[in-house]
């Protein structure tokens, strides 16, 4: 069986790399490439591929999760291929109907196997993503924040920037950035607004 595949990524260089990579393996044929969510939806309807490789963060227009929902509604399998593995991104993609969720850091062999699995309707998840999904199902919360991280989170909630937070807490901006990275990782977000929203939801703020 040859898996007919459609690539959707807003970066031309990434599409070219995937085209070359997938063209080097037997049993996978790239039937088209799209640079936007709208284009992917239209091409999926026209070309009827077995699998659509979908990036989540696209340019102007609909995002990858919205495109995934529309394509999945056509009965086409969607395999998310992205650099983002936050809880929010994973949840949105799976709820939209994605068959699998793979990170771009995976080895080519993992990508090939995931495409074949998705074509057969089997779920394909990168190991870090699978761990997050299992933890969520078990009801495991994020790792606890340190006192300093809670301090910085409180300043974030006040709308302060990195320089202002550094001055308020008598630490360097570099230290603030380091703590922010850890806070984002623990809360499963990648933006300041996301960190504040999750912190309020989980009652982590004073």
């Amino acid at each position: 069986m040859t898996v007919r595949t459609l690539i959707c990524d807003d970066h031309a260089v990434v599409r070219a790399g995937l085209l070359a990579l997938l063209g080097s393996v037997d049993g996978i044929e790239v039937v088209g490439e799209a640079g936007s969510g709208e284009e992917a939806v239209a091409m999926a309807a026209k070309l009827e591929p077995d699998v659509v490789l979908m990036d989540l963060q696209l340019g102007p227009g609909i995002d990858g999760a919205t495109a995934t929902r529309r394509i999945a509604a056509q009965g086409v399998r969607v395999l998310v291929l992205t650099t983002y593995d936050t809880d929010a991104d994973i949840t949105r993609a799976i709820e939209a109907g994605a068959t699998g969720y793979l990170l771009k850091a995976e080895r080519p062999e993992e990508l090939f196997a995931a495409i074949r699995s998705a074509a057969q309707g089997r779920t394909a998840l990168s190991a870090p993503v699978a761990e997050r999904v299992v933890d969520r199902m078990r009801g495991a919360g994020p790792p606890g924040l340190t006192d300093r991280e809670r301090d910085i989170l409180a300043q974030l909630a006040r709308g302060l920037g990195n320089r202002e937070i550094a001055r308020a807490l008598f630490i360097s901006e570099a230290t603030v950035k380091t703590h922010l990275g850890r806070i984002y990782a623990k809360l499963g977000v990648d933006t300041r607004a996301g960190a504040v929203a999750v912190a309020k939801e989980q009652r982590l703020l004073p």
Side-chain angles (χ1 to χ4, degrees):
M1 173 184 174
T2 297
V3 181
R4 302 175 71 255
T5 306
L6 171 66
I7 298 170
C8 179
D9 196 294
D10 61 332
H11 292 96
V13 172
V14 174
R15 294 198 306 272
L18 286 170
L19 189 61
L21 183 64
L22 297 179
S24 69
V25 62
D26 293 332
I28 297 177
E29 175 190 2
V30 177
V31 296
E33 51 180 292
S36 69
E38 289 86 350
E39 191 176 6
V41 173
M43 292 182 72
K46 179 181 179 181
L47 300 174
E48 298 183 346
D50 300 306
V51 175
V52 176
L53 280 183
M54 177 67 66
D55 190 16
L56 285 183
Q57 302 294 332
L58 302 173
I62 63 175
D63 62 11
T66 302
T68 293
R69 180 174 287 105
R70 296 181 185 179
I71 292 171
Q74 300 173 14
V76 177
R77 310 286 186 186
V78 179
L79 173 61
V80 169
L81 181 64
T82 184
T83 57
Y84 304 92
D85 67 342
T86 67
D87 288 349
D89 286 323
I90 295 168
T91 299
R92 285 192 68 213
I94 292 176
E95 288 179 346
T99 301
Y101 196 111
L102 210 67
L103 300 179
K104 289 181 178 178
E106 294 288 358
R107 294 177 298 122
E109 293 77 12
E110 297 292 337
L111 173 60
F112 303 152
I115 290 174
R116 295 188 180 103
S117 292
Q120 295 173 14
R122 300 201 308 266
T123 301
L125 301 174
S126 287
V129 175
E131 289 174 7
R132 283 182 176 273
V133 171
V134 171
D135 285 344
R136 254 200 140 146
M137 291 178 64
R138 289 174 177 166
L145 299 177
T146 65
D147 289 340
R148 177 59 80 188
E149 288 165 354
R150 286 177 179 274
D151 290 340
I152 289 177
L153 197 52
Q155 302 303 321
L156 274 186
R158 293 176 55 202
L160 300 186
N162 289 1
R163 181 174 298 178
E164 295 169 310
I165 293 174
R167 287 175 179 170
L169 300 179
F170 303 102
I171 55 179
S172 68
E173 282 189 66
T175 300
V176 172
K177 290 179 181 178
T178 298
H179 283 302
L180 281 178
R182 292 171 182 165
I183 291 170
Y184 291 171
K186 289 181 179 181
L187 298 184
V189 300
D190 54 10
T191 65
R192 304 167 79 89
V196 172
V198 172
K200 288 180 178 178
E201 180 184 324
Q202 299 183 5
R203 299 180 180 178
L204 300 176
L205 294 171

